[in-house]
C-alpha cells in the first residue's frame, strides 16, 4: 500500500502517516489536542489555523485541496513517501 509520512510544523512537531484521504484527516486530527468530529468543521478549523500561522491561504473544500494547501503553506511537510509519482 502506498503511504506518505507527514510532519506537522505548527507548534510542537508531530508526525502521522496516511495512504488515503480518510487516513490523512484522521492523522491530522491526531496532531490536535482537541478537534471537532464533523469533518467539514475540522477542515475549516485547520485551514484557519494554518492561514493564521503561515499567512498563506488554505482551501478546505475537500481533503485533497486541504492537504495540497497545507503543504504549500508550510504548515505540514512530507517526510517520506512510497507513493509513485503521477
Amino acid at each position: 500500500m502506498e503511504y506518505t509520512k507527514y510532519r506537522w510544523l505548527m507548534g510542537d512537531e508531530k508526525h502521522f502517516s496516511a495512504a488515503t484521504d480518510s487516513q490523512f484527516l484522521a492523522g491530522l486530527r491526531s496532531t490536535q489536542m482537541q478537534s471537532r468530529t464533523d469533518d467539514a468543521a475540522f477542515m475549516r478549523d485547520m485551514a484557519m489555523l494554518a492561514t493564521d500561522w503561515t499567512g498563506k491561504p488554505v482551501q478546505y473544500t475537500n481533503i485533497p485541496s486541504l492537504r495540497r494547501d497545507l503543504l504549500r503553506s508550510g504548515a505540514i511537510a512530507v517526510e517520506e513517501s512510497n507513493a509513485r509519482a503521477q
Side-chain angles (χ1 to χ4, degrees):
M1 178 175 250
E2 297 177 358
Y3 73 92
T4 302
K5 185 175 180 182
Y6 298 94
R7 185 169 26 122
W8 174 259
L9 299 172
M10 296 186 297
D12 293 338
E13 192 172 293
K14 299 175 183 171
H15 308 266
F16 64 96
S17 297
T20 65
D21 286 348
S22 61
Q23 288 175 352
F24 176 81
L25 213 52
L28 192 58
R29 269 195 179 95
S30 74
T31 67
Q32 304 302 301
M33 291 183 70
Q34 295 181 337
S35 64
R36 298 187 202 210
T37 56
D38 175 70
D39 287 349
F42 174 70
M43 289 174 22
R44 180 177 180 270
D45 289 349
M46 292 298 93
M48 290 174 57
L49 176 63
T51 297
D52 287 348
W53 187 273
T54 67
K56 298 176 182 172
V58 176
Q59 292 184 27
Y60 57 93
T61 53
N62 55 45
I63 298 170
S65 67
L66 177 66
R67 177 178 39 241
R68 179 197 66 227
D69 283 357
L70 288 174
L71 287 164
R72 285 182 181 169
S73 72
I76 64 172
V78 171
E79 280 199 329
E80 175 184 333
S81 177
N82 73 350
R84 288 177 234 133
Q86 300 288 334

